Amino acid sequence: MNVDALQDALAAEHAAVWTYGLVSAFIDQQAAAVAEGANAHRARRDTTERQLRDAGAQPKPPAPAYLPPTPVNNATTAIAALITVENDACAAWRGVLERTDDTNLRKSALDALTNSAVRATRWRKAAGTTPTAIPLPGTAVG
Amino acid sequence: MIGRTAPSRRAILAAVAIAPLAAAACTTTPPPAPAPDELEEMLRAARADAALATAVGAQETAAARTEHAQRLKAEVDRATPKVPGETTSAQPEPTPTTPANPTREALVTALQTAQKQAADLAIKVPTHRAGLVASVSAGCASLVEALV
């Protein structure tokens, strides 16, 4: 397995946890969906840290803060930030899949990729973005 | 006359020596056709879903599944050894038949099946294919989320 790819995935999960915390103040309408996403990313972050320790690596700590692509100041920009972190997570987990033959790690990475892709779709639906579903989540051009 | 009309002793010996080899070469069966690519099933499913989605009027799903089919076809073609003198373009693209009574429910079920099919493969295929297969699986899950 590739420790660097897994560290990248962990970094994406740290960013997602931080961003879900940031946007919660701006999204009242889908508070349940925000809470669900935040919990999912926290759980994934913990799992990833454990996988890294099991491989004898030191999990990288989160950054003090993250910069969303556009400043978050209302529901629209908050959802845009969520779509970005979910897509980043998709790309990072696809990177793990492409760099390991470990069946369990592949299963776990596929699960993370799929769940992030589905959440990205949900947020794109809420924002009215088309197409609603990205055909190949985790692909650089997707 | 310098040239000889009768075959030389050396030529006859050589001919006798290679005769069994020539006979063996003529009687061996051609090598068996290579096993079908493990992505063929996914490719068939992607094409069938695209046809079904078009019939239902789900344009976004049709476009996405068509893209899946194109990416999978490209990977299958890349990995398939080329036989000299045989052109792959000679084979027409198979056109999947759409079910008689297409429904959105049938499309959702087909996409869920495709997601599972790709997920099972994603943990087995070589690393250079794992990313594509996993993205197709996640893409099918996203399409289901978009439809329901």
Side-chain angles (χ1 to χ4, degrees), chain A residues 94 97-101 103 106-107 110 113-114 117-118 121-122 125 129-139 141, chain B residues 60 64 67-68 71 115 119 121-127 130-132 134-139 141-143 145-148:
Chain A
R94 180 175 157 144
L97 274 149
E98 287 172 329
R99 286 169 186 81
T100 183
D101 285 319
T103 308
R106 281 231 197 143
K107 267 186 194 156
L110 177 64
L113 165 59
T114 306
V118 168
T121 308
R122 201 172 294 153
K125 210 173 181 174
T129 314
T130 53
T132 312
I134 294 175
L136 291 160
T139 314
V141 290
Chain B
E60 197 188 298
E67 188 177 341
H68 290 174
R71 296 289 187 98
Q115 182 202 338
L121 265 182
I123 55 169
K124 291 189 291 197
V125 292
T127 45
L132 172 63
S135 282
V136 170
S137 181
S142 304
L143 289 169
E145 178 69 24
L147 282 172
V148 295

Side-chain angles (χ1 to χ4, degrees), chain A residues 21-36:
Chain A
L22 169 75
V23 303
S24 57
F26 297 99
I27 306 177
D28 313 329
Q29 299 293 315
Q30 294 108 336
V34 173
E36 192 225 303

